[in-house]
Amino acid sequence: MEWQPDEQGLQQVLQLLKDSQSPDTATQRAVQEKLEQLNQFPDFNNYLIFVLTSLKSEDEPTRSLSGLILKNNVKAHYQNFPPNVADFIKRECLNNIGDPSPLIRATIGILITTIASKGELQTWPELLPQLCNLLNSEDYNTCEGSFGALQKICEDSSELLDSDALNRPLNIMIPKFLQFFKHCSPKIRSHAIACVNQFIIGRAQALMDNIDTFIESLFALAGDEDSEVRKNVCRALVMLLEVRIDRLIPHMHSIIQYMLQRTQDPDENVALEACEFWLTLAEQPICKEALSGHLVQLIPILVNGMKYSEIDIILLKGDVEEDETIPDSEQDIKPRFHKSRTVTLQHEGGEGEEGEDIDEDEDDDDDTLSDWNLRKCSAAALDVLANVFREELLPHLLPLLKGLLFHPDWVIKESGILVLGAIAEGCMQGMVPYLPELIPHLIQCLCDKKALVRSIACWTLSRYAHWVVSQPPDAHLKPLMTELLKRILDGNKRVQEAACSAFATLEEEACTELVPYLSFILDTLVFAFGKYQHKNLLILYDAIGTLADSVGHHLNQPEYIQKLMPPLIAKWNELKDEDKDLFPLLECLSSVATALQSGFLPYCEPVYQRCVTLVQKTLAQAMVSVTWLVLHPHIHLSPLCSFFAMCVSVFHSQMYSQQPDQYEAPDKDFMIVALDLLSGLAEGLGGHVDTLVARSNIMTLLFQCMQDTMPEVRQSSFALLGDLTKACFPHVKPCIAEFMPILGTNLNPEFISVCNNATWAIGEICMQMGVEMQPYIAMVLNQLVEIINRPNTPKTLLENTAITIGRLGYVCPQEVAPMLPQFIRPWCTSLRNIRDNEEKDSAFRGICMMIGVNPGGVVQDFIFFCDAVASWVNPKDDLRDMFYKILHGFKEQVGEENWQQFSEQFPPLLKERLAACYGV
């Protein structure tokens, strides 16, 4: 017999549903407790589905709420539902999917999808066939409700639907959906396209078999009057561009014309979907050929899309000019993530490492509007197209730009400045002739009366910072810096933020060019400390850290230290150990300590102690050890207690992985940032760090950190180990026997940065150990040789590996030389672009000593050795002599005639260099 509710029970449930809509906190708490009690009764869920599907006398929000509570119960406890309850719910859902109310239909659809996602697609075999049959219903509500449920199932379970597990239902579903592209109801047409769209990116076989029908059906809907349908058509074409461009190419001219229209659609959601097309097309090899003839139409459309909409201006408080005294709300502040320290080498010309991580927010000129919108998409499309077409874009842009940049309406003027910033990277060469006129105009825009114009001018000027710095300082650098510093003290928080970020970019480009202005710069940045609200304070730390990185030891002047350090230390003392604002401050102090070197000495002790405490606290953040620390806050952990804490920490992390809801995982970012600041102190203070290390248990803590499960912790640990090895090796040496096996096991290029830092640390250790390194060679050499021969290894890791192999050969040539033939060629190519420095010097001495032990090992690849030798600009005299002896020894060995034949292979430049420097 079918289940029927008890009247009293039903009234109880209805009262609960009414109470749960109350805004009162106490009532909400009581509802929560009541819900937990009722969940003990299995048929409580029958009441919930009954209210949703059958109690038509109740108002729709109450019925829908009943369904949503049931959905949460399904999510949390479905496996405990008795079979008769689960069957009743499933039956009721399918019988009522055509409810006259759109809200109730949608709620039932969500409920069906939630049940299906609990593994029920396999155990509810009638679901998909029944929903597909219901699509044929004469009743609109039944058809729409079924389609709504199917769309949600397709979104949630697209992979499962395209698998053998369900006997490939898509073979029936996709042709069925395609039939509904012609349905008279726009809602149904939209559902049908949205369902098929879920299977494009995964290249579902059933869709690929019907791809031409699908594309023809999309074209037939191109002029649809319904905006939701147009949006789904655009979305489909964008995805097809990625996965089946071959099928679109024959129609590309018409598709581009269609997308040009849709990018101007009166409905912004449609325009945004269409605008994605240009971003995707820019990544395709056919982009240039396909778009060349359409740029004259496309560029004005994209430029027009870059204006702020009225809603944007309201959301951004575009009419509020001064808001610096209004405190930030905490949800406005994005969480910050610390990037662990990676050790890199300087290259010739001082360029950065290829493939560096680019700041994701770089182009995010209005990141408080974090939702992707037409303005951002248009700007991103123009940016990528500028990189494809380069100067060819300018004839279409320059005539527009002049009208925009000098327009009386600030919204249009602002969009022109954004355009100029968006094309900076791609069109730089073509823009150079116009920059002497444009840069002063942009600097003038920094004083505009509208805050949104001032902030975008900051961003765009930062995009041209490289060119500004390449000119004589008085021409543009000085005026730009003066105005940017004023904007750092602007009355508007958005402008402060944009100016701080732009100034950090300028610092990176200008480096020591800023030294003459340091006093003025520091006065401004320090003044901002007292002026900024929470969010911008975090960006200010960044600007100070970047300044320290850029000017280095020039910051180590009593006058500058006196200005900078008191406010930084005041903030440092203000923040609690568990405050995440410590991250940017620690990063900033790390850069400052490295730059100030001995100038940081008066501040180093409390900073060092606190970093050690942060590491210790994080390691000991198991419940037992935390309790112990709270009971004995005055006690510093001894090495033995640290060992105990480590054991507890391991126990804690295991408990966390088994029962994550009962145990809170320690936030290891605190430890990573602290380790990186300790590295900065060791690098900046050098030997002065000795007494601090002697008075702490850092080596014990480091031993634990080096074995942490989190790669970023190990990465920072190995950086610190290398820096301590350089600064105070007597404290490291007693631990080498324990440390070396750990370093050996971390030579795993799957974790690139961990492997890189471990490799570098081994190189530093072996320079201190000398011949005593001999017992440890076998632990690391094979892995290093494997890494240097591995294809697609990042340049930084290759270089550090080559340096370390060379250094191992320098201290233990007999042990390493037999392997010369296995690494000499990649070794030479890895180090040819490195600047002359101490690391390169020791590595090349090692190679020379190994060639002395095993000259035959280099014969096959001697041309690579010659090329690497020629990469030296100014080697020390004794190293030059070593090169000379090897080159001449080889020449004598093979004889004049063979040498002539051999040297014919040399490129002309190499030949000249070797003849001039070494007489061969």
Side-chain angles (χ1 to χ4, degrees), residues 298-557:
L298 174 60
I299 298 305
I301 292 170
L302 289 179
V303 166
N304 193 47
M306 288 164 76
K307 294 200 298 281
Y308 276 126
S309 68
E310 287 177 23
I311 291 171
D312 291 342
I313 294 168
I314 293 163
L315 288 173
L316 291 167
K317 304 186 177 75
D319 294 327
V320 177
E321 292 306 318
E322 294 221 356
D323 60 357
E324 64 173 349
T325 56
I326 301 165
D328 297 325
S329 71
E330 288 309 301
Q331 61 263 38
D332 288 345
I333 299 164
K334 286 184 183 174
R336 286 183 67 102
F337 301 99
H338 173 69
K339 197 161 176 274
S340 303
R341 189 177 173 101
T342 306
V343 184
T344 55
L345 299 168
Q346 290 281 293
H347 294 80
E348 284 306 334
E351 82 278 8
E353 173 61 29
E354 283 172 23
E356 279 177 353
D357 290 335
I358 302 303
D359 181 2
E360 290 296 328
D361 289 336
E362 182 182 49
D363 294 1
D364 209 6
D365 54 281
D366 44 18
D367 62 323
T368 49
L369 249 186
S370 55
D371 294 337
W372 189 235
N373 57 22
L374 184 61
R375 167 186 164 90
K376 288 186 176 188
C377 191
S378 303
L382 188 61
D383 185 350
V384 291
L385 291 171
N387 277 293
V388 171
F389 285 95
R390 304 278 168 187
E391 285 65 50
E392 293 168 44
L393 215 58
L394 292 178
H396 308 286
L397 254 179
L398 290 172
L400 296 172
L401 259 176
K402 203 161 184 131
L404 297 171
L405 288 170
F406 297 93
H407 202 281
D409 181 343
W410 75 266
V411 175
I412 295 171
K413 178 181 176 178
E414 193 277 347
S415 73
I417 300 171
L418 173 59
V419 168
L420 202 52
I423 62 167
E425 192 185 317
C427 301
M428 182 61 84
Q429 284 312 107
M431 288 304 297
V432 164
Y434 307 99
L435 292 180
E437 192 184 331
L438 278 173
I439 296 295
H441 175 67
L442 286 172
I443 292 172
Q444 222 176 332
C445 292
L446 289 174
C447 308
D448 195 275
K449 64 177 193 296
K450 294 303 291 184
L452 289 172
V453 173
R454 299 198 297 277
S455 66
I456 199 65
C458 290
W459 177 74
T460 294
L461 280 161
S462 75
R463 302 270 286 175
Y464 290 96
H466 185 76
W467 181 84
V468 167
V469 170
S470 70
Q471 305 301 299
D474 286 350
H476 304 290
L477 176 61
K478 209 170 166 185
L480 171 58
M481 191 175 58
T482 308
E483 285 308 316
L484 265 185
L485 288 170
K486 286 183 194 166
R487 292 291 66 80
I488 283 175
L489 302 179
D490 199 277
N492 181 278
K493 291 192 285 190
R494 164 176 297 281
V495 179
Q496 292 171 0
E497 179 183 357
C500 248
S501 297
F503 196 73
T505 305
L506 186 65
E507 289 168 344
E508 285 172 345
E509 293 289 351
C511 291
T512 51
E513 296 277 342
L514 297 179
V515 171
Y517 318 108
L518 267 175
S519 186
F520 181 37
I521 293 169
L522 287 170
D523 284 341
T524 305
L525 298 180
V526 167
F527 190 78
F529 258 114
K531 187 179 174 77
Y532 277 12
Q533 297 294 339
H534 188 180
K535 181 184 174 187
N536 287 350
L537 204 50
L538 307 183
I539 296 159
L540 181 63
Y541 295 145
D542 222 20
I544 292 170
T546 308
L547 179 69
D549 292 337
S550 302
V551 300
H553 66 89
H554 296 283
L555 202 56
N556 188 7
Q557 299 290 335

Side-chain angles (χ1 to χ4, degrees), residues 608 611-613 615-616 674-675 678 692-705 720 724 728 731 739:
Y608 179 91
C611 286
V612 172
T613 305
V615 174
Q616 200 158 261
L675 289 166
L678 288 169
L692 296 170
V693 173
R695 291 205 300 268
S696 71
N697 61 342
I698 189 64
M699 301 317 296
T700 312
L701 298 174
L702 196 52
F703 178 65
Q704 295 165 42
C705 294
L720 176 55
L724 289 175
C728 55
H731 296 293
F739 286 2

